[in-house]
Amino acid sequence: LLQHLMRLIFYLQEIIMKPFIITVTGKSGSGKTTLIEKLIVHYTSESKKISVIKNMRHDFHTDPEGKDTFRYRQSGAFSSIITNGKKFALISEIDDESDPLALAKKYFSGSDIIIIEGFKEGNVPKIEVIGDSDEPPLFLTDKNIQMLVTDRSFTTDIPVFKRNDIELIKEAIENIFYK
């Protein structure tokens, strides 16, 4: 009965809070993308519409030099879209201090769940994925981290989940982030 009640609460909160945003952070090579892939598979199997934002601190390139979209933007276009009628890619400058949360709300409002990868500097609840790095984990200094996903052992009050326990991770997300 309790499990059914929790699922009902999750469902009602999902309707009220749509879209729901999950932030996954961690050091490079920690397994963030792998966890996100597993969450996407799990949530899409429940017919949820998932969108993902990859937040980066360094520059990146999506339209190759010399191609049409590159040339449009080199000519001064603020934004351009490439499409084939089945999918599209938007390439645009950001004219304000839009962070991943603002972009998520602006572009992914039709999603059920938005997953943001990265965004270490964000003042939002986060999941930290910890790999084999010798660097200190982020949760030691970031009080926004609400749960850990790692195969390592840590002494902490923060809930810790093994990487392959995707069902437990998903339940924890529902219980910790939907409260």
Side-chain angles (χ1 to χ4, degrees):
L1 180 63
L2 180 60
Q3 191 173 34
H4 290 294
L5 184 58
M6 287 300 292
R7 290 193 190 283
L8 176 62
I9 290 170
F10 176 68
Y11 174 75
L12 292 173
Q13 286 178 329
E14 189 174 64
I15 291 170
I16 295 167
M17 298 171 60
K18 186 177 178 182
F20 175 62
I21 298 175
I22 302 167
T23 303
V24 178
T25 194
K27 306 283 184 178
S28 179
S30 62
K32 297 180 300 292
T33 301
T34 301
L35 173 63
I36 290 169
E37 288 172 325
K38 290 177 182 179
L39 289 171
I40 292 168
V41 167
H42 213 77
Y43 285 124
T44 56
S45 74
E46 297 175 348
S47 300
K48 300 220 185 314
K49 187 176 179 182
I50 310 304
S51 295
V52 181
I53 294 177
K54 167 77 174 181
N55 186 61
M56 302 174 71
R57 293 183 180 187
H58 51 83
D59 199 17
F60 64 93
H61 303 283
T62 55
D63 49 344
E65 188 171 343
K67 292 295 187 177
D68 295 346
T69 54
F70 177 87
R71 292 173 59 193
Y72 302 148
R73 292 183 9 83
Q74 284 297 108
S75 299
F78 180 77
S79 300
S80 66
I81 289 179
I82 184 169
T83 184
N84 63 1
K86 296 177 185 170
K87 58 184 175 180
F88 76 92
L90 167 67
I91 300 132
S92 182
E93 300 296 320
I94 297 176
D95 59 356
D96 57 13
E97 292 293 321
S98 292
D99 65 21
L101 294 174
L103 294 172
K105 291 174 184 172
K106 183 174 182 177
Y107 293 106
F108 295 146
S109 62
S111 299
D112 297 309
I113 298 172
I114 301 167
I115 302 172
I116 299 173
E117 179 180 341
F119 201 33
K120 291 177 190 172
E121 67 280 4
N123 188 21
V124 295
K126 300 174 209 151
I127 300 166
E128 180 178 6
V129 181
I130 303 172
D132 297 329
S133 173
D134 291 334
E135 296 178 69
L138 301 171
F139 79 88
L140 297 174
T141 56
D142 186 345
K143 301 304 175 204
N144 290 305
I145 294 176
Q146 303 293 308
M147 65 184 277
L148 305 176
V149 175
T150 184
D151 290 332
R152 295 171 55 189
S153 290
F154 289 97
T155 303
T156 178
D157 292 334
I158 300 171
V160 180
F161 298 90
K162 298 288 186 195
R163 296 170 182 276
N164 289 328
D165 290 340
I166 195 67
E167 187 62 41
L168 291 175
I169 292 168
K170 186 180 148 292
E171 285 179 28
I173 288 170
E174 293 169 9
N175 291 329
I176 294 170
F177 292 89
Y178 267 108
K179 58 182 177 179

